[in-house]
Amino acid sequence: MLGQYETRISKGNLSQILHRNMTPAEMIQFLEKGAVYRSFLDVLRAVYPQSDLADRLLAGLMDIAGDCEKKEADALRKNVSNWLKGNSMPQNREQLFKICFALGLSEAAANKVLSSAAETGIHYRNPRELVYAFALRTGMTYQAAAALDRELSAVYGPAVEQAEARRAEQWKGKQSRAGQESGAGETGDEEPHFFTQQVLRRFETVTTAEELRLFFAEHSADLGTIHESAYEKFRKLLSVLQEPEDMVLSQSGGGESYSLDRIAEEYFRMNVPQGRATKQYGYLQKTMKKNWPGATELNKMKNRKIDVSRKALLLLFLITEDFLFSEDLQYSDKDSEDAAWYIPEEDESPRDRLEVVLSKINLFLEIYGMNQLDPGNPFDCLFLYALAAAYDDAFLSDAFSAALKALFPTGEEASAD
């Protein structure tokens, strides 16, 4: 399993994390001074190895921008310069797609670019991103792709909107019914629905604009901006925290249902300061704090106002340790020989057990349409540290939280900003 991490950056960071048995403070020191992170420039150079990267990127983006004013052109030049120097990152997925079109990348290469700067690669249930993926696959320009999306939105738009409204009502009804049943929560043993995988397999056969139109006519009701499998898992794990009498992690032993405010503070906070001000923080602190899920974000995710974030889902994995015993992977379409978690317990060494855990989590992330764990990413490095840290009878989240406390030693005071 660990063989998948073969780049210089991944191998170096992973080796240090897995073999040094560091204390939380030592781990933070390593992340701040010893670890090497994969920059946006590293990724761009990997997918576009030619020497004219900067010129090609700027020229392509200028072409996409069209007849823009001098102020806009200067801002674009500054953005490109900052991206390539590592001073900033593209701000949204539309900008990332424009970069991919500007460089003339393939669909696969574009997937890597999006994965490096966002929590997911191409979202193969998002109709707009499907159009862009098709356009990259067939060598279209950004302008042609945008025009095609405007045309096809009349096909997929109403169906997607109706389907999303129906799914939201179904989840609302499920939550209401669960609340009426002896406080059992939403932990039913329902088979996961891996919509993104199913849609992707069908979309892979699309090679013409007419086939894309027929694809939308047939599958629009299955599309949307929410990662359905991730949402299903998120709701299930969140319900476990909201009914603490049913979980081994209960901190109070009480029988009351936890509010999202209480869950956010007692489980998700982990010493990370609240508030939006970040000027006083260094790179590692800003990276960890970015998009950290609080009560507001958790509530929006639960009510389908925003998509489930990868960071929130990984934190739920740590807090509940669900991946250690979940049977969800039995529904995966992976061949048995790829199921690395099937190692007989009597043959397991600590190294084997860690590889099993990594295999499970990465397959979960793949199923949910999210990036696998990346040792070139600071947050993922800390997550890997929590998996590997050897603390007797301690929860995995304890090592993670202790490291964050070392990173934010004045977290409580800073929360007032």
mmCIF file with all atom_site columns, all heavy atoms in Angstrom, residues 90-102:
data_model
loop_
_atom_site.group_PDB
_atom_site.id
_atom_site.type_symbol
_atom_site.label_atom_id
_atom_site.label_alt_id
_atom_site.label_comp_id
_atom_site.label_asym_id
_atom_site.label_entity_id
_atom_site.label_seq_id
_atom_site.pdbx_PDB_ins_code
_atom_site.Cartn_x
_atom_site.Cartn_y
_atom_site.Cartn_z
_atom_site.occupancy
_atom_site.B_iso_or_equiv
_atom_site.pdbx_formal_charge
_atom_site.auth_seq_id
_atom_site.auth_comp_id
_atom_site.auth_asym_id
_atom_site.auth_atom_id
_atom_site.pdbx_PDB_model_num
ATOM 1   N N   . PRO A 1 90  ? -4.680  29.716 -6.629  1.00 0.00 ? 90  PRO A N   1
ATOM 2   C CA  . PRO A 1 90  ? -5.942  30.071 -7.283  1.00 0.00 ? 90  PRO A CA  1
ATOM 3   C C   . PRO A 1 90  ? -7.092  30.001 -6.290  1.00 0.00 ? 90  PRO A C   1
ATOM 4   O O   . PRO A 1 90  ? -7.126  29.117 -5.425  1.00 0.00 ? 90  PRO A O   1
ATOM 5   C CB  . PRO A 1 90  ? -6.073  29.016 -8.385  1.00 0.00 ? 90  PRO A CB  1
ATOM 6   C CG  . PRO A 1 90  ? -4.668  28.607 -8.674  1.00 0.00 ? 90  PRO A CG  1
ATOM 7   C CD  . PRO A 1 90  ? -3.960  28.647 -7.360  1.00 0.00 ? 90  PRO A CD  1
ATOM 8   N N   . GLN A 1 91  ? -8.026  30.923 -6.411  1.00 0.00 ? 91  GLN A N   1
ATOM 9   C CA  . GLN A 1 91  ? -9.044  31.088 -5.384  1.00 0.00 ? 91  GLN A CA  1
ATOM 10  C C   . GLN A 1 91  ? -10.276 30.219 -5.543  1.00 0.00 ? 91  GLN A C   1
ATOM 11  O O   . GLN A 1 91  ? -11.041 30.050 -4.595  1.00 0.00 ? 91  GLN A O   1
ATOM 12  C CB  . GLN A 1 91  ? -9.470  32.561 -5.322  1.00 0.00 ? 91  GLN A CB  1
ATOM 13  C CG  . GLN A 1 91  ? -8.370  33.481 -4.851  1.00 0.00 ? 91  GLN A CG  1
ATOM 14  C CD  . GLN A 1 91  ? -7.859  33.103 -3.470  1.00 0.00 ? 91  GLN A CD  1
ATOM 15  O OE1 . GLN A 1 91  ? -8.629  33.059 -2.509  1.00 0.00 ? 91  GLN A OE1 1
ATOM 16  N NE2 . GLN A 1 91  ? -6.578  32.814 -3.363  1.00 0.00 ? 91  GLN A NE2 1
ATOM 17  N N   . ASN A 1 92  ? -10.517 29.661 -6.714  1.00 0.00 ? 92  ASN A N   1
ATOM 18  C CA  . ASN A 1 92  ? -11.729 28.871 -6.895  1.00 0.00 ? 92  ASN A CA  1
ATOM 19  C C   . ASN A 1 92  ? -11.531 27.852 -8.010  1.00 0.00 ? 92  ASN A C   1
ATOM 20  O O   . ASN A 1 92  ? -10.529 27.878 -8.729  1.00 0.00 ? 92  ASN A O   1
ATOM 21  C CB  . ASN A 1 92  ? -12.925 29.781 -7.191  1.00 0.00 ? 92  ASN A CB  1
ATOM 22  C CG  . ASN A 1 92  ? -12.672 30.691 -8.389  1.00 0.00 ? 92  ASN A CG  1
ATOM 23  O OD1 . ASN A 1 92  ? -12.460 30.210 -9.509  1.00 0.00 ? 92  ASN A OD1 1
ATOM 24  N ND2 . ASN A 1 92  ? -12.677 32.002 -8.152  1.00 0.00 ? 92  ASN A ND2 1
ATOM 25  N N   . ARG A 1 93  ? -12.474 26.952 -8.142  1.00 0.00 ? 93  ARG A N   1
ATOM 26  C CA  . ARG A 1 93  ? -12.355 25.856 -9.098  1.00 0.00 ? 93  ARG A CA  1
ATOM 27  C C   . ARG A 1 93  ? -12.467 26.344 -10.540 1.00 0.00 ? 93  ARG A C   1
ATOM 28  O O   . ARG A 1 93  ? -11.833 25.785 -11.429 1.00 0.00 ? 93  ARG A O   1
ATOM 29  C CB  . ARG A 1 93  ? -13.409 24.784 -8.796  1.00 0.00 ? 93  ARG A CB  1
ATOM 30  C CG  . ARG A 1 93  ? -13.198 24.116 -7.444  1.00 0.00 ? 93  ARG A CG  1
ATOM 31  C CD  . ARG A 1 93  ? -14.286 23.111 -7.118  1.00 0.00 ? 93  ARG A CD  1
ATOM 32  N NE  . ARG A 1 93  ? -14.201 21.912 -7.929  1.00 0.00 ? 93  ARG A NE  1
ATOM 33  C CZ  . ARG A 1 93  ? -13.386 20.893 -7.693  1.00 0.00 ? 93  ARG A CZ  1
ATOM 34  N NH1 . ARG A 1 93  ? -12.530 20.949 -6.688  1.00 0.00 ? 93  ARG A NH1 1
ATOM 35  N NH2 . ARG A 1 93  ? -13.401 19.821 -8.470  1.00 0.00 ? 93  ARG A NH2 1
ATOM 36  N N   . GLU A 1 94  ? -13.240 27.402 -10.771 1.00 0.00 ? 94  GLU A N   1
ATOM 37  C CA  . GLU A 1 94  ? -13.335 27.947 -12.119 1.00 0.00 ? 94  GLU A CA  1
ATOM 38  C C   . GLU A 1 94  ? -11.969 28.443 -12.587 1.00 0.00 ? 94  GLU A C   1
ATOM 39  O O   . GLU A 1 94  ? -11.564 28.229 -13.737 1.00 0.00 ? 94  GLU A O   1
ATOM 40  C CB  . GLU A 1 94  ? -14.358 29.080 -12.151 1.00 0.00 ? 94  GLU A CB  1
ATOM 41  C CG  . GLU A 1 94  ? -14.730 29.544 -13.547 1.00 0.00 ? 94  GLU A CG  1
ATOM 42  C CD  . GLU A 1 94  ? -15.575 28.535 -14.316 1.00 0.00 ? 94  GLU A CD  1
ATOM 43  O OE1 . GLU A 1 94  ? -16.179 27.646 -13.680 1.00 0.00 ? 94  GLU A OE1 1
ATOM 44  O OE2 . GLU A 1 94  ? -15.638 28.638 -15.555 1.00 0.00 ? 94  GLU A OE2 1
ATOM 45  N N   . GLN A 1 95  ? -11.248 29.087 -11.687 1.00 0.00 ? 95  GLN A N   1
ATOM 46  C CA  . GLN A 1 95  ? -9.912  29.573 -12.005 1.00 0.00 ? 95  GLN A CA  1
ATOM 47  C C   . GLN A 1 95  ? -8.964  28.407 -12.297 1.00 0.00 ? 95  GLN A C   1
ATOM 48  O O   . GLN A 1 95  ? -8.131  28.482 -13.200 1.00 0.00 ? 95  GLN A O   1
ATOM 49  C CB  . GLN A 1 95  ? -9.387  30.406 -10.833 1.00 0.00 ? 95  GLN A CB  1
ATOM 50  C CG  . GLN A 1 95  ? -8.299  31.400 -11.182 1.00 0.00 ? 95  GLN A CG  1
ATOM 51  C CD  . GLN A 1 95  ? -8.043  32.368 -10.058 1.00 0.00 ? 95  GLN A CD  1
ATOM 52  O OE1 . GLN A 1 95  ? -7.968  31.987 -8.896  1.00 0.00 ? 95  GLN A OE1 1
ATOM 53  N NE2 . GLN A 1 95  ? -7.912  33.652 -10.390 1.00 0.00 ? 95  GLN A NE2 1
ATOM 54  N N   . LEU A 1 96  ? -9.114  27.343 -11.549 1.00 0.00 ? 96  LEU A N   1
ATOM 55  C CA  . LEU A 1 96  ? -8.281  26.156 -11.780 1.00 0.00 ? 96  LEU A CA  1
ATOM 56  C C   . LEU A 1 96  ? -8.567  25.538 -13.145 1.00 0.00 ? 96  LEU A C   1
ATOM 57  O O   . LEU A 1 96  ? -7.646  25.134 -13.860 1.00 0.00 ? 96  LEU A O   1
ATOM 58  C CB  . LEU A 1 96  ? -8.523  25.125 -10.672 1.00 0.00 ? 96  LEU A CB  1
ATOM 59  C CG  . LEU A 1 96  ? -7.952  25.486 -9.296  1.00 0.00 ? 96  LEU A CG  1
ATOM 60  C CD1 . LEU A 1 96  ? -8.507  24.543 -8.233  1.00 0.00 ? 96  LEU A CD1 1
ATOM 61  C CD2 . LEU A 1 96  ? -6.432  25.424 -9.309  1.00 0.00 ? 96  LEU A CD2 1
ATOM 62  N N   . PHE A 1 97  ? -9.825  25.474 -13.510 1.00 0.00 ? 97  PHE A N   1
ATOM 63  C CA  . PHE A 1 97  ? -10.161 24.944 -14.835 1.00 0.00 ? 97  PHE A CA  1
ATOM 64  C C   . PHE A 1 97  ? -9.592  25.841 -15.934 1.00 0.00 ? 97  PHE A C   1
ATOM 65  O O   . PHE A 1 97  ? -9.099  25.346 -16.965 1.00 0.00 ? 97  PHE A O   1
ATOM 66  C CB  . PHE A 1 97  ? -11.677 24.806 -14.996 1.00 0.00 ? 97  PHE A CB  1
ATOM 67  C CG  . PHE A 1 97  ? -12.224 23.498 -14.503 1.00 0.00 ? 97  PHE A CG  1
ATOM 68  C CD1 . PHE A 1 97  ? -13.012 23.433 -13.372 1.00 0.00 ? 97  PHE A CD1 1
ATOM 69  C CD2 . PHE A 1 97  ? -11.938 22.317 -15.180 1.00 0.00 ? 97  PHE A CD2 1
ATOM 70  C CE1 . PHE A 1 97  ? -13.517 22.222 -12.915 1.00 0.00 ? 97  PHE A CE1 1
ATOM 71  C CE2 . PHE A 1 97  ? -12.439 21.093 -14.734 1.00 0.00 ? 97  PHE A CE2 1
ATOM 72  C CZ  . PHE A 1 97  ? -13.225 21.051 -13.598 1.00 0.00 ? 97  PHE A CZ  1
ATOM 73  N N   . LYS A 1 98  ? -9.656  27.155 -15.748 1.00 0.00 ? 98  LYS A N   1
ATOM 74  C CA  . LYS A 1 98  ? -9.086  28.062 -16.739 1.00 0.00 ? 98  LYS A CA  1
ATOM 75  C C   . LYS A 1 98  ? -7.590  27.799 -16.916 1.00 0.00 ? 98  LYS A C   1
ATOM 76  O O   . LYS A 1 98  ? -7.067  27.835 -18.041 1.00 0.00 ? 98  LYS A O   1
ATOM 77  C CB  . LYS A 1 98  ? -9.324  29.515 -16.329 1.00 0.00 ? 98  LYS A CB  1
ATOM 78  C CG  . LYS A 1 98  ? -10.769 29.970 -16.473 1.00 0.00 ? 98  LYS A CG  1
ATOM 79  C CD  . LYS A 1 98  ? -10.928 31.425 -16.064 1.00 0.00 ? 98  LYS A CD  1
ATOM 80  C CE  . LYS A 1 98  ? -12.368 31.888 -16.232 1.00 0.00 ? 98  LYS A CE  1
ATOM 81  N NZ  . LYS A 1 98  ? -12.550 33.306 -15.839 1.00 0.00 ? 98  LYS A NZ  1
ATOM 82  N N   . ILE A 1 99  ? -6.897  27.548 -15.827 1.00 0.00 ? 99  ILE A N   1
ATOM 83  C CA  . ILE A 1 99  ? -5.469  27.227 -15.888 1.00 0.00 ? 99  ILE A CA  1
ATOM 84  C C   . ILE A 1 99  ? -5.248  25.964 -16.719 1.00 0.00 ? 99  ILE A C   1
ATOM 85  O O   . ILE A 1 99  ? -4.338  25.898 -17.552 1.00 0.00 ? 99  ILE A O   1
ATOM 86  C CB  . ILE A 1 99  ? -4.901  27.068 -14.463 1.00 0.00 ? 99  ILE A CB  1
ATOM 87  C CG1 . ILE A 1 99  ? -4.831  28.431 -13.776 1.00 0.00 ? 99  ILE A CG1 1
ATOM 88  C CG2 . ILE A 1 99  ? -3.521  26.408 -14.491 1.00 0.00 ? 99  ILE A CG2 1
ATOM 89  C CD1 . ILE A 1 99  ? -4.500  28.357 -12.298 1.00 0.00 ? 99  ILE A CD1 1
ATOM 90  N N   . CYS A 1 100 ? -6.087  24.975 -16.506 1.00 0.00 ? 100 CYS A N   1
ATOM 91  C CA  . CYS A 1 100 ? -5.956  23.708 -17.242 1.00 0.00 ? 100 CYS A CA  1
ATOM 92  C C   . CYS A 1 100 ? -6.176  23.915 -18.736 1.00 0.00 ? 100 CYS A C   1
ATOM 93  O O   . CYS A 1 100 ? -5.440  23.367 -19.569 1.00 0.00 ? 100 CYS A O   1
ATOM 94  C CB  . CYS A 1 100 ? -6.946  22.681 -16.697 1.00 0.00 ? 100 CYS A CB  1
ATOM 95  S SG  . CYS A 1 100 ? -6.636  22.197 -14.991 1.00 0.00 ? 100 CYS A SG  1
ATOM 96  N N   . PHE A 1 101 ? -7.179  24.707 -19.081 1.00 0.00 ? 101 PHE A N   1
ATOM 97  C CA  . PHE A 1 101 ? -7.428  24.997 -20.496 1.00 0.00 ? 101 PHE A CA  1
ATOM 98  C C   . PHE A 1 101 ? -6.297  25.839 -21.083 1.00 0.00 ? 101 PHE A C   1
ATOM 99  O O   . PHE A 1 101 ? -5.883  25.637 -22.227 1.00 0.00 ? 101 PHE A O   1
ATOM 100 C CB  . PHE A 1 101 ? -8.767  25.713 -20.674 1.00 0.00 ? 101 PHE A CB  1
ATOM 101 C CG  . PHE A 1 101 ? -9.958  24.804 -20.630 1.00 0.00 ? 101 PHE A CG  1
ATOM 102 C CD1 . PHE A 1 101 ? -10.748 24.711 -19.490 1.00 0.00 ? 101 PHE A CD1 1
ATOM 103 C CD2 . PHE A 1 101 ? -10.289 24.028 -21.732 1.00 0.00 ? 101 PHE A CD2 1
ATOM 104 C CE1 . PHE A 1 101 ? -11.855 23.877 -19.453 1.00 0.00 ? 101 PHE A CE1 1
ATOM 105 C CE2 . PHE A 1 101 ? -11.399 23.180 -21.703 1.00 0.00 ? 101 PHE A CE2 1
ATOM 106 C CZ  . PHE A 1 101 ? -12.180 23.107 -20.560 1.00 0.00 ? 101 PHE A CZ  1
ATOM 107 N N   . ALA A 1 102 ? -5.792  26.793 -20.296 1.00 0.00 ? 102 ALA A N   1
ATOM 108 C CA  . ALA A 1 102 ? -4.717  27.659 -20.780 1.00 0.00 ? 102 ALA A CA  1
ATOM 109 C C   . ALA A 1 102 ? -3.472  26.858 -21.126 1.00 0.00 ? 102 ALA A C   1
ATOM 110 O O   . ALA A 1 102 ? -2.750  27.185 -22.081 1.00 0.00 ? 102 ALA A O   1
ATOM 111 C CB  . ALA A 1 102 ? -4.387  28.720 -19.728 1.00 0.00 ? 102 ALA A CB  1
#
